[in-house]
């Protein structure tokens, strides 16, 4: 992202910028590393603002709520390209999804299977089902229940069980991913022998993304994909894979820009207050303040004081938890400067505690070299969500 461009838009701070060129380049590299019997499914929850930008780059979109379905429909995604997932799918949600052309549903329980069957029967529409296999959490079903549903699957004439889905978490180490793949391959072979079926495996590997200083940003793509594709290839072409990706696909395209609004020294410790905060930046998880993410410092209106200082970067919320970085060294940091948090293309835009203190939600821009900056969401006042007006007061 060009510094001059961010400077030009500095008065719009805080804001998110998602670079479509970086996103599409990332998707293309992943596609080239994927074996022929594998395709990519984008997890919309990672960043719903990227749905339209990924058209033609991924084969499927996973939605986990009626709202995410609305987002895909608004982004001109065809229903046939959507996998409707989630632990809470009401029959009304399924009915609407069917009307939108969705024909692939995940099933998280025997109740959900019964609901899907009823909806398919009422609408006389053929539906493909992926049975979610639990990793030991509240999601999915265990092997006993999954096989019971396979035993009873022929009882639903409009429903065909076409695959299994598996996801256990994110930011996993290579060894854990390899163990999960080997487990899924062995289980696939067992089911094929028992039921004479060839089920697709939809797998969310949770490939790790580097966020902090000291992590390897140069080889993470090849390293992460290498583990995945080596095991997939070794399993042979018999298995059809759908690889669900969110963070690994979207993280590198995002920037969060926030302005320094105050600086101070308390007990020989330098504090920098920015106009954003943890209500906007949440992608570092519980380690966020303890490690140093990649941050560009953009000087506005000349250089500050000479020399480097160690700073604690805090946001604008009235809580001691609002610490973005506890220790980072910056040179000439001053009020009015911009701090650009990098690799923020996944989750922060939707995971922040946006209603806390009723502050504005940031503007969101999509950028590409060919189209420039495009505002896709204006800053939103949130006070209206948190107030009750006095009787007779129209304000």
């Amino acid at each position: 992202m060009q510094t001059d461009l961010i400077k030009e838009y500095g008065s719009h701070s805080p804001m998110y910028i998602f670079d479509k060129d970086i996103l599409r380049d990332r998707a293309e590299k992943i596609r080239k590393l994927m074996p022929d019997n594998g395709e990519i499914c984008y997890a919309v929850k990672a960043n719903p603002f990227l749905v339209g930008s990924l058209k033609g780059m991924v084969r499927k979109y996973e939605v986990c709520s009626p709202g995410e379905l609305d987002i895909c429909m608004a982004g001109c995604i065809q229903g046939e390209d959507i996998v409707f997932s989630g632990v809470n799918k009401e029959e009304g949600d399924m009915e609407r999804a069917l009307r939108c052309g969705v024909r692939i549903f995940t099933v998280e329980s025997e109740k959900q299977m019964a609901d899907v069957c009823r909806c398919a029967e009422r609408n006389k529409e053929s539906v493909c089902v992926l049975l979610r296999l639990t990793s030991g959490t509240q999601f999915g079903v265990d092997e006993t229940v999954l096989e019971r549903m396979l035993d009873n699957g022929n009882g639903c004439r409009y429903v065909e069980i076409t695959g299994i889905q598996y996801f256990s978490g994110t930011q996993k180490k290579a060894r854990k991913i390899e163990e999960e793949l080997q487990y899924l391959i062995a289980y696939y072979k067992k089911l094929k022998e028992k039921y004479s079926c060839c089920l697709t495996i939809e797998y969310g590997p949770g490939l790790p993304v580097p966020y902090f200083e000291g992590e390897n940003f140069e080889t993470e793509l090849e390293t992460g994909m290498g583990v995945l594709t080596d095991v997939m290839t070794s399993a042979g072409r018999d298995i059809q894979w759908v690889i669900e990706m969110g963070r690994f696909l979207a993280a590198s395209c995002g920037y969060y820009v926030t302005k320094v609004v105050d600086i101070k020294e308390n007990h020989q410790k330098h504090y920098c207050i920015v106009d954003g905060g943890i209500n906007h930046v949440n992608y570092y998880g519980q380690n966020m303040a303890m490690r140093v993410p990649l941050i560009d410092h953009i000087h506005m209106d000349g250089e500050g004081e000479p020399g480097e200082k160690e700073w604690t970067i805090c946001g604008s919320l009235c809580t001691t938890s609002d610490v973005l970085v506890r220790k980072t060294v910056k040179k000439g940091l001053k009020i009015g400067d911009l701090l650009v948090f990098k690799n923020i293309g996944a989750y922060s835009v939707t995971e922040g505690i946006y209603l806390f203190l009723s502050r504005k939600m940031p503007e969101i821009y999509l950028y590409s070299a060919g189209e420039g900056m495009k505002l896709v969401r204006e800053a939103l006042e949130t006070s209206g969500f948190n107030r009750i007006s006095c009787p007779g007061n129209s304000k």
Side-chain angles (χ1 to χ4, degrees):
M1 181 61 61
Q2 300 172 5
T3 298
D4 290 344
L5 185 64
I6 295 178
K7 275 189 172 183
E8 180 184 343
Y9 281 80
S11 61
H12 296 257
S13 170
M15 62 181 169
Y16 299 100
I17 304 171
F18 302 121
D19 191 318
K20 296 197 296 183
D21 296 334
I22 292 175
L23 175 68
R24 293 180 70 84
D25 178 67
R26 175 80 169 184
E28 183 60 29
K29 288 178 178 177
I30 290 173
R31 285 172 60 188
K32 288 181 178 178
L33 293 169
M34 191 75 68
D36 294 340
N37 57 330
E39 59 184 51
I40 303 169
C41 176
Y42 177 58
V44 173
K45 61 181 174 288
N47 189 335
F49 292 93
L50 303 180
V51 164
S53 302
L54 283 168
K55 288 181 70 174
M57 305 300 293
V58 299
R59 292 289 300 276
K60 300 291 182 184
Y61 294 80
E62 187 210 36
V63 304
C64 293
S65 71
E68 289 189 343
L69 177 61
D70 289 341
I71 289 166
C72 285
M73 293 294 102
C76 299
I77 304 303
Q78 300 299 311
E80 63 191 26
D81 296 328
I82 291 173
V83 179
F84 197 173
S85 295
V87 292
N88 178 21
K89 293 190 286 288
E90 301 292 339
E91 283 194 55
D93 302 331
M94 295 178 184
E95 293 273 5
R96 181 168 173 274
L98 283 172
R99 292 196 297 271
C100 292
V102 177
R103 295 295 180 267
I104 305 175
F105 292 80
T106 66
V107 162
E108 295 262 358
S109 67
E110 290 177 288
K111 174 189 178 298
Q112 276 198 0
M113 175 61 95
D115 291 344
V116 171
C117 288
R118 280 194 298 272
C119 287
E121 288 276 357
R122 276 197 302 269
N123 291 273
K124 294 181 170 53
E125 293 284 359
S126 297
V127 171
C128 295
V129 159
L130 306 176
L131 302 179
R132 181 162 185 178
L133 180 61
T134 188
S135 62
T137 67
Q138 74 269 37
F139 300 105
V141 297
D142 61 28
E143 292 89 340
T144 301
V145 176
L146 187 146
E147 291 170 39
R148 185 161 65 231
M149 286 194 283
L150 280 170
D151 288 332
N152 299 331
N154 293 332
C156 303
R157 59 176 174 167
Y158 287 100
V159 172
E160 180 184 4
I161 298 172
T162 59
I164 58 177
Q165 184 194 47
Y166 188 85
F167 177 78
S168 69
T170 187
Q171 294 291 85
K172 291 182 297 202
K173 295 186 181 298
R175 188 174 184 179
K176 176 67 172 175
I177 294 170
E178 185 173 357
E179 288 175 355
E180 290 181 348
L181 284 167
Q182 295 295 357
Y183 162 65
L184 289 172
I185 292 167
Y187 193 53
Y188 166 88
K189 292 177 179 178
K190 174 187 174 181
L191 295 179
K192 182 180 179 182
E193 181 178 349
K194 184 175 180 180
Y195 296 98
S196 300
C197 60
C198 293
L199 300 175
T200 297
I201 299 178
E202 181 175 314
Y203 174 54
L207 289 166
V209 172
Y211 281 130
F212 303 104
E213 290 181 0
E215 294 180 336
N216 193 328
F217 288 82
E218 300 299 323
T219 62
E220 52 84 25
L221 177 64
E222 289 78 10
T223 301
M225 287 299 297
V227 174
L228 188 67
T229 56
D230 284 352
V231 179
M232 289 168 60
T233 302
S234 67
R237 300 182 59 83
D238 181 42
I239 304 176
Q240 292 299 310
W241 297 88
V242 177
I243 302 302
E244 177 194 317
M245 289 185 174
R247 187 189 308 272
F248 192 74
L249 180 57
S252 60
C253 79
Y255 302 84
Y256 174 69
V257 182
T258 183
K259 181 171 63 178
V260 178
V261 294
D262 202 356
I263 56 176
K264 64 177 79 172
E265 182 178 342
N266 289 343
H267 295 168
Q268 292 80 51
K269 190 173 183 178
H270 299 286
Y271 288 92
C272 159
I273 310 298
V274 297
D275 60 2
I278 61 170
N279 49 331
H280 303 157
V281 179
N282 196 41
Y283 71 120
Y284 301 132
Q286 294 181 351
N287 292 325
M288 180 170 66
M290 305 308 296
R291 303 178 67 184
V292 182
L294 293 187
I295 307 172
D296 286 343
H297 173 201
I298 298 180
H299 296 274
M300 303 290 283
D301 302 322
E303 300 288 331
E305 294 181 5
E308 295 180 335
K309 292 180 181 177
E310 185 176 86
W311 294 91
T312 297
I313 302 175
C314 302
S316 296
L317 303 181
C318 291
T319 169
T320 55
S321 298
D322 194 6
V323 180
L324 293 171
V325 184
R326 292 201 181 276
K327 292 181 180 180
T328 184
V329 175
K330 299 295 175 188
K331 181 178 180 181
L333 188 68
K334 65 183 187 305
I335 294 174
D337 285 356
L338 299 176
L339 298 178
V340 182
F341 288 72
K342 302 168 76 172
N343 291 339
I344 201 164
Y347 291 106
S348 273
V349 71
T350 53
E351 275 197 342
I353 49 174
Y354 286 107
L355 298 184
F356 187 52
L357 259 71
S358 301
R359 288 194 172 274
K360 285 183 180 180
M361 293 172 68
E363 292 182 349
I364 297 175
Y365 292 85
L366 292 180
Y367 168 81
S368 69
E371 299 173 354
M373 293 275 276
K374 180 182 178 182
L375 179 66
V376 294
R377 189 187 76 187
E378 296 180 350
L380 295 177
E381 293 286 356
T382 63
S383 58
F385 297 106
N386 290 337
R387 70 175 179 227
I388 299 176
S389 297
C390 295
N393 186 353
S394 60
K395 293 184 180 180

